Amino acid sequence: MKRVMSRREAMKTAGIAAGGMALGGIAEGWALSAESSAASTIGASIKDHAGARGILYGAATEHGKLENDPQFAQLFAEQCALLVPEGELKWRTLRPTPETFNFAPADALYNFTKQHQMKFRGHVLIAHDPYPGWFEGYINSSNAKKLMTDHIRGVAGHYAGKMQSWDVVNEVIYPQDNRSDGLRNSAWVRYIGPDYLEMAFHTAAEMDPSALLVWNENWLEEDSEGGDAKRKFFLQQVKPLLKRNVPIQAVGLQAHLVAGHPGIAGPRFQAFLQEVGDLGLKIIVSELDVRDGSLPADFSPRDQKVAELYTQFLSAVLPHKSVVAVLTWGLSNRYTWLTKFSPRSDQLPVRGLPFDDVMKPTATYAAMIKAFDAAPPR
Ligand code: XIL
C-alpha cells in the first residue's frame, strides 16, 4: 500500500504554504466550508487533542478503503493515532482452511500504520462470529482446545510486538442464552467450557506479552435491565479470573450508541467504570458510533443529536483515568458498517461518525475535540 502524503507535503503539492490555511482539508471536495458547524474548532486533528490528554484516538477500517480512496486514506492518517482492522483479523478472512492463515489483508493495514506512525490494534482472536464455512462441521469437543490455542499462537505470534492491544475475546456475556453464568453459548463454551476464557488470555499473553489484552463487550453502557445484566455478569466472571492472575488487562466498551434508546452512561454505568478501574483494568472505548435511524432526515438537527450523544457518552467516560484509548467504528460516514447493518428507512446516509460522506467534519467531530480537551490528563 502506498504511503499517503503528509499534510505538509499535500499542501506543497496543492500550492498552499504550510500554515497558510487554517483548516485541515487538502484534497478536492474535502476543503472545509466556512459555514461548517465544526469549522471554528478545527486547528488540529482528533488524535492531537486526545493525545494532549494522554489518550490514543483511532478508528476501524478495511484495507480496500485505504487502498482505493486516497482522500479517505489521507484523512485517516491525519486524524488517527491507532488503527483497528474491521474484518481482516476475523476467522472468516484469516482462516481459509483449518491448516492455513491468510495474513495478507491485515498485513496491508499493519504496513499502513507503519508508514504513518500509527499504532495497530487487534480485533479479534476469539469471537462467536463470523467463521469460515468449514468451521461448524470441523470443531468438536476433542479438537476445540487445540483449534483455539493454535489459532491464538498463529495470529498473536505473527503480530507479536506489533500490537498496541488485542481483543482476546468478544461479546462473551449474553444473558439471553439463559446460562446461569451469563456466558454466551458459543461453540467455545459448548466444546471447551467456560475455561476457554482463561486459556485464551494465557495463550495470548504467552505469545505477545507487550500487547494490552482486552475483553471486548457490547451494551455495557446502556441504562437498561439489559445493561445491568451485562455489567453484573461481566464483573461476576472477571473478578475470580483476575484473582487467579489470568492476564485480562482491559475491558473494551464497544459503545455502539443508539439514538432514541432511553439512556446511556448513567450512574450505574459510572459506578461500573469506577469498579473496573479499581480492579486495575484499563478501559478502551473500542467501537464508538451512533445509529441515527430514529433521528430527523435533515442533516443539521440530526448531526446535533448525534453529537449530543457523543458528548454525553465521552463526558461520562473520559474523566476515568483508566480510559487509555477511544476508537470510532469507522471515521467517515462514507464507510460505515451501519449503511448495511442499520440503514435508515429514508435511505439517506447514516451520519454516526466524526466525518460525513464527503469527508467534512460534522458536529460530532467538534464534540469529540471538546470532550478530549475537557478530559483530565493521564
Ligand atoms: C462489523 C463490521 O463492521 C462489518 O463490516 C461486518 O459485516 C460485521 O461486523 N461489533 C464487533 C465488530 O465486535 O466486529 C462488528 O463489526 C460490529 C459490532
Side-chain angles (χ1 to χ4, degrees):
M1 207 182 293
K2 277 208 301 262
R3 192 177 76 86
V4 299
M5 281 186 286
S6 72
R7 181 165 162 195
R8 193 170 286 272
E9 286 163 351
M11 281 178 149
K12 235 171 131 191
T13 312
I16 302 162
M21 195 170 80
L23 306 180
I26 308 295
E28 205 184 335
W30 184 34
L32 305 171
S33 67
E35 64 273 25
S36 159
S37 57
S40 60
T41 65
I42 291 175
S45 59
I46 306 180
K47 75 173 175 193
D48 289 341
H49 283 262
R53 297 293 180 268
I55 303 166
L56 279 168
Y57 168 69
T61 194
E62 291 171 332
H63 72 288
K65 293 165 186 166
L66 295 176
E67 275 162 19
N68 300 326
D69 187 340
Q71 185 190 14
F72 177 67
Q74 173 133 4
L75 182 72
F76 206 97
E78 282 199 4
Q79 296 294 325
C80 296
L82 181 63
L83 183 155
V84 62
E86 207 170 321
E88 285 82 345
L89 290 169
K90 293 176 182 169
W91 282 62
R92 187 185 286 165
T93 306
L94 203 50
R95 302 301 305 274
T97 72
E99 291 79 31
T100 53
F101 294 84
N102 170 26
F103 288 115
D107 284 353
L109 287 170
Y110 173 70
N111 292 337
F112 183 86
T113 66
K114 284 292 98 192
Q115 285 154 2
H116 297 285
Q117 294 83 47
M118 296 170 143
K119 292 184 188 295
F120 197 43
R121 167 169 153 68
H123 172 80
V124 47
L125 291 169
I126 300 299
H128 61 96
D129 74 350
Y131 283 89
W134 58 263
F135 183 83
E136 215 182 293
Y138 183 89
I139 188 170
N140 59 44
S141 42
S142 4
N143 66 12
K145 253 185 221 174
K146 184 166 165 15
L147 186 62
M148 184 184 81
T149 50
D150 282 355
H151 179 79
I152 298 175
R153 282 186 218 288
V155 182
H158 181 81
Y159 292 106
K162 296 175 172 169
M163 287 288 181
Q164 177 267 346
S165 57
W166 256 120
D167 286 340
V168 178
V169 294
N170 193 37
E171 301 177 359
V172 171
I173 306 292
Y174 194 63
Q176 293 91 321
D177 276 349
N178 289 318
R179 286 175 55 96
S180 58
D181 55 11
L183 293 182
R184 183 187 293 273
N185 199 25
S186 66
W188 305 111
V189 168
R190 290 199 309 278
Y191 294 119
I192 301 178
D195 283 357
Y196 90 89
L197 288 166
E198 57 186 283
M199 259 175 233
F201 277 96
H202 279 303
T203 313
E206 197 186 297
M207 296 311 297
D208 191 354
S210 64
L212 185 74
L213 301 183
V214 185
W215 177 321
N216 199 40
E217 273 298 341
N218 54 4
W219 305 121
L220 286 170
E221 62 286 337
E222 288 251 326
D223 290 338
S224 61
E225 271 179 34
D228 288 340
K230 290 277 305 192
R231 292 185 285 266
K232 180 191 89 179
F233 280 122
F234 174 79
L235 291 169
Q236 201 172 295
Q237 282 297 323
V238 90
K239 281 181 186 172
L241 294 175
L242 290 175
K243 272 219 175 96
R244 293 208 302 280
N245 294 321
V246 175
I248 303 166
Q249 294 153 350
V251 53
L253 308 170
Q254 287 190 5
H256 292 291
L257 310 180
V258 185
H261 272 202
I264 52 145
R268 300 198 299 279
F269 173 63
Q270 290 280 354
F272 170 81
L273 294 182
Q274 187 61 45
E275 196 167 349
V276 163
D278 292 345
L279 286 169
L281 294 174
K282 301 285 184 210
I283 296 172
I284 290 185
V285 175
S286 54
E287 307 186 12
L288 181 60
D289 64 6
V290 169
R291 277 174 219 176
D292 70 359
S294 69
L295 297 177
D298 278 1
F299 286 0
S300 175
R302 176 142 56 109
D303 286 0
Q304 219 47 56
K305 284 276 175 218
V306 170
E308 277 166 27
L309 272 176
Y310 270 78
T311 300
Q312 191 184 339
F313 178 75
L314 290 174
S315 61
V317 163
L318 294 181
H320 295 266
K321 292 194 178 181
S322 42
V323 177
V324 294
V326 173
L327 296 103
T328 45
W329 203 244
L331 180 67
S332 148
N333 297 326
R334 184 179 292 177
Y335 305 115
T336 163
W337 72 303
L338 296 174
T339 304
K340 255 200 207 148
F341 185 82
S342 191
R344 291 178 58 88
S345 55
D346 56 17
Q347 308 308 318
L348 288 170
V350 179
R351 292 173 68 88
L353 289 169
F355 291 85
D356 72 8
D357 52 339
V358 292
M359 310 290 170
K360 277 174 41 179
T362 63
T364 289
Y365 165 89
M368 292 189 79
I369 300 260
K370 214 169 153 188
F372 284 122
D373 287 350
R378 52 220 65 199

